[in-house]
Amino acid sequence: MDIYYIILVLPAVLLALIAQGFVKSTFRKYNAVHSHRNITGAEAARQVLDAHGLTHVAVGKVAGDLTDHYDPRSNTIFLSTSTHDSTSVAAIGVAAHEAGHAIQHDVQYFPIQVRSAIIPATNIGSKLSVPLIILGLFLSSVAQDFILLAELGVICFGLSTLFQLVTCPVEFNASHRALETLKGTGMLDEDELPKARKVLSAAALTYVAALAVSAMQLLRFVLIVAGAKGGSKKRR
């Protein structure tokens, strides 16, 4: 029985599941509330972009539900069907949030630059971390020096945790920029802004929960490898 998983990781996983359910229910609730100005998510994203001089950034549609994202490689905001064509307060908030990411890239917001810079290392590290940890733990029973492989695996996994850590301020800042622009341009009325804020706050919780899961998993690996390393020294 992996006691570290039960004590550390499982509660964080449950928190993540609750956060995912909360964001879906919140989006569903405010997706039924149509904006007074009757603009679509696509139109909202376009207006936010234009308000910041980003006329070169395109707005497209992507399949799926809540699959909205900004692709800096093609300078395109992709909005899911539930956001692109909807005139709801929720859709406008989500669309403006994605436009916020385009603004971050344009002004070279430091956390998003860091996140972009570590993506290649994070992708490699996430694939190698667990195999290295397992291999290192297994071979350390033969020769203690192989525990270095497990320690390298922990470092690789730490890159994923670093990515989640940097993602949090990026997402919070994108939401802040979105709400400020929605208010400044008058796309949402005063009574509609709190509803859009609730949708974006619920979405932000999923990133906090993802960070918690990654951090607890990292701590679990650190404790397991440290325990195995201590056991190897005792056997010598």
Side-chain angles (χ1 to χ4, degrees), residues 210-230:
L211 172 60
V213 172
S214 185
M216 291 301 100
Q217 189 72 274
L218 177 61
L219 179 57
R220 171 190 173 224
F221 288 147
V222 168
L223 293 173
I224 290 173
V225 172
K229 187 175 183 179

Side-chain angles (χ1 to χ4, degrees), residues 163-192:
F163 178 83
Q164 296 293 346
L165 179 62
V166 176
T167 293
C168 284
V170 168
E171 296 300 330
F172 279 103
N173 179 263
S175 292
H176 175 73
R177 292 175 188 273
L179 291 168
E180 286 296 307
T181 306
L182 289 174
K183 181 179 180 180
T185 57
M187 277 185 278
L188 289 181
D189 291 342
E190 287 296 327
D191 62 319
E192 294 175 318

